[in-house]
């Protein structure tokens, strides 16, 4: 009796929290020369039915035999039955993930972390500012918001990349541009040829770093939340510009990419002082960021 009890308890307690769910790659989109989006579907129907996440959350994706890497979930929670991740090839795991094909299996643990506070954004003007691959976590929220369009006020998306070919989600950006219920502003750091310049300008593209273009478009801070994601240097100068535009820090939201290992508060790899970014983040307001130890923001 005693041993039966302990066996069933052991079974529950020994459930491996690091065991990934299995997911099949159902489509692949090459965004740039080194950035790729995978659409993944759960292999197990029960796991598929039970799965839920919110925009801003992340997962650990494994290429078996090579390890795990952390990516945000870049698709919208309103799109059911699959998730997408968009990753840049930088090292061991991302190279291994790039070598996989449609029909291959990857591991997924998650969703982890907090999320963008979509309920607080309802009824507000939204200003999305995404730089480079930083558009990936924003896309999850943008698509979620667009699927509930009537619940939000004016929407502006400012997105930037180093060059025209470095934009991720080119097709989706064109789709956003064609909508009359949002304003899209796109910018590149530099153009590479006169022909590209003609085409870019004809499509209303701008040239300049995101903080400068932000100052040029001069958005009103009134009843507006700004949601910012990109490389740390871009976030830093964009937050400064938003402050000049009178955005209060609690209305500016961003997401951090500290190194992570476990994803759920066990390993201590991701902390800034007492804060575990994997649990209390990755989404923070600019006010919260300012109060982090040794904050650079
Ligand atoms: C919450 C969160 C969300 C993320 N979302 C995405 C995403 O959507 N798409 C994406 O491409 N990447 C994302 N990242 C970064 C991604 O996790 C790393 O690039 C990835 O782990 C690299 O794995 P790798 O084995 O290929 O590279 P590694 O061999 O581990 O590293 C290659 C190089 O990248 C550096 N590196 C690794 N991890 C990080 C990091 N977190 N920050 C800065 N430098 C790092 C290493 O020092 C090394 O120079 C996210 C990270 C976090 C924490
Ligand atoms: S990644 Fe392990 S504690 Fe945050």
């Amino acid at each position: 009796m005693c041993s039966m009890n302990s066996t069933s308890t052991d079974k529950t307690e020994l459930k491996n929290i690091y065991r990934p769910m299995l997911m099949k790659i159902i489509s692949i989109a090459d965004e740039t020369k080194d950035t790729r989006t995978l659409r993944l579907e759960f292999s197990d129907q029960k796991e598929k039915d039970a799965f839920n996440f919110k925009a801003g959350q992340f997962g650990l994706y494994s290429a078996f035999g090579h390890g795990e890497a952390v990516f945000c979930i870049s698709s919208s929670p309103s799109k059911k039955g699959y998730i997408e991740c968009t990753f840049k090839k930088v090292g061991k795991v991302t190279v291994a993930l790039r070598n996989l094909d449609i029909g291959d299996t990857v591991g997924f643990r998650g969703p982890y972390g907090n999320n963008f506070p979509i309920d607080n954004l309802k009824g507000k003007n939204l200003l999305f500012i995404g730089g480079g691959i930083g558009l990936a976590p924003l896309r999850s929220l943008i698509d979620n918001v667009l699927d509930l369009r009537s619940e939000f006020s004016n929407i502006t998306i400012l997105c930037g990349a180093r060059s025209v070919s470095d934009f991720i989600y080119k097709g989706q950006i064109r789709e956003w541009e064609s909508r009359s219920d949002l304003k899209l502003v796109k910018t590149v750091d530099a153009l590479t040829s006169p022909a590209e310049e003609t085409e870019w300008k004809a499509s209303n593209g701008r040239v300049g770093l995101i903080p400068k273009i932000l100052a040029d478009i001069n958005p009103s801070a009134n009843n507006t939340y700004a949601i910012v994601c990109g490389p740390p240097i871009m976030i830093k100068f964009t937050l400064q510009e938003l402050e000049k535009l009178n955005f209060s820090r609690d209305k500016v939201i961003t997401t951090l990419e500290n190194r992570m290992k476990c994803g759920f508060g066990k390993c201590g790899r991701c902390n800034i002082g007492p804060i575990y970014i994997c649990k209390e983040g990755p989404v923070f307001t600019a006010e919260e960021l300012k109060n982090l130890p040794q904050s650079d923001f």
Side-chain angles (χ1 to χ4, degrees):
M1 181 78 172
C2 188
S3 79
M4 271 179 70
N5 271 348
S6 83
T7 307
S8 72
T9 310
D10 285 348
K11 266 190 190 151
T12 318
E13 283 175 357
L14 289 176
K15 184 171 177 270
N16 185 353
I17 50 178
Y18 293 95
R19 187 185 69 82
M21 294 179 270
L22 301 183
M23 303 197 87
K24 190 169 275 194
I25 301 175
I26 55 168
S27 69
I28 295 177
D30 279 326
E31 307 288 353
T32 70
K33 64 180 184 324
D34 57 9
T35 304
R36 175 169 277 190
T37 298
L38 302 181
R39 182 173 290 187
L40 305 169
E41 193 181 63
F42 287 91
S43 301
D44 183 287
Q45 187 63 38
K46 277 200 198 119
E47 286 176 346
K48 181 174 177 175
D49 294 342
F51 186 76
N52 263 311
F53 74 98
K54 293 192 168 149
Q57 290 193 287
F58 64 88
L60 280 99
Y61 300 75
S62 36
F64 293 111
H66 300 275
E68 293 182 309
V70 180
F71 311 132
C72 69
I73 303 174
S74 62
S75 51
S76 164
S78 47
K79 306 280 187 281
K80 300 290 180 196
Y82 66 87
I83 58 168
E84 289 181 350
C85 63
T86 302
F87 61 93
K88 190 171 193 161
K89 182 174 72 167
V90 289
K92 193 173 158 213
V93 178
T94 45
V95 166
L97 285 171
R98 263 194 89 95
N99 288 335
L100 299 177
D101 217 332
I102 293 176
D104 288 342
T105 298
V106 302
F108 174 83
R109 292 197 285 121
Y112 296 132
N114 68 350
N115 51 273
F116 293 115
I118 190 164
D119 288 336
N120 297 349
L121 306 182
K122 290 185 176 165
K124 306 289 192 297
N125 302 317
L126 304 182
L127 169 63
F128 293 98
I129 308 175
I133 198 171
L135 197 54
L138 291 190
R139 183 182 72 151
S140 177
L141 182 62
I142 293 171
D143 277 356
N144 200 172
V145 160
L146 292 179
D147 281 339
L148 304 166
R149 181 65 188 92
S150 60
E151 299 188 36
F152 303 87
S153 196
N154 298 334
I155 296 179
T156 304
I157 303 172
L158 167 57
C159 53
R162 285 186 180 180
S163 70
V164 176
S165 62
D166 285 321
F167 271 101
I168 60 170
Y169 308 142
K170 294 179 187 71
Q172 196 143 22
I173 289 174
R174 277 195 293 274
E175 210 179 294
W176 293 336
E177 266 179 319
S178 70
R179 291 180 70 129
S180 56
D181 59 354
L182 66 79
K183 176 178 171 187
L184 184 121
V185 180
K186 59 188 186 190
T187 183
V188 289
D189 296 358
L191 293 161
T192 51
S193 69
E196 190 178 76
E197 183 170 351
T198 309
E199 204 180 318
W200 184 244
K201 297 228 162 121
S203 72
N204 289 323
R206 312 223 184 175
V207 181
L209 300 179
I210 284 179
K212 168 169 184 310
I213 304 299
L214 176 62
D216 290 350
I217 63 175
N218 192 22
S220 164
N222 188 26
N223 195 37
T224 306
Y225 271 86
I227 306 104
V228 184
C229 194
I233 189 78
M234 171 241 150
I235 294 182
K236 182 176 171 169
F237 288 110
T238 301
L239 298 196
Q240 287 175 6
E241 198 56 53
L242 286 167
E243 200 156 352
K244 285 189 211 154
L245 292 165
N246 295 322
F247 279 76
S248 66
R249 288 203 190 101
D250 61 329
K251 301 278 188 312
V252 175
I253 301 168
T254 188
T255 168
L256 291 185
E257 289 199 356
N258 276 39
R259 304 284 173 94
M260 292 182 188
K261 183 88 180 152
C262 69
F264 48 77
K266 288 268 182 234
C267 71
R269 179 72 71 92
C270 66
N271 74 301
I272 303 185
I275 310 279
Y276 282 8
I277 304 301
C278 67
K279 284 194 84 170
E280 294 180 51
V283 175
F284 292 94
T285 64
E287 183 61 26
E288 289 165 333
L289 277 191
K290 191 170 167 273
N291 294 325
L292 289 178
Q294 294 149 20
S295 173
D296 195 27
F297 295 98

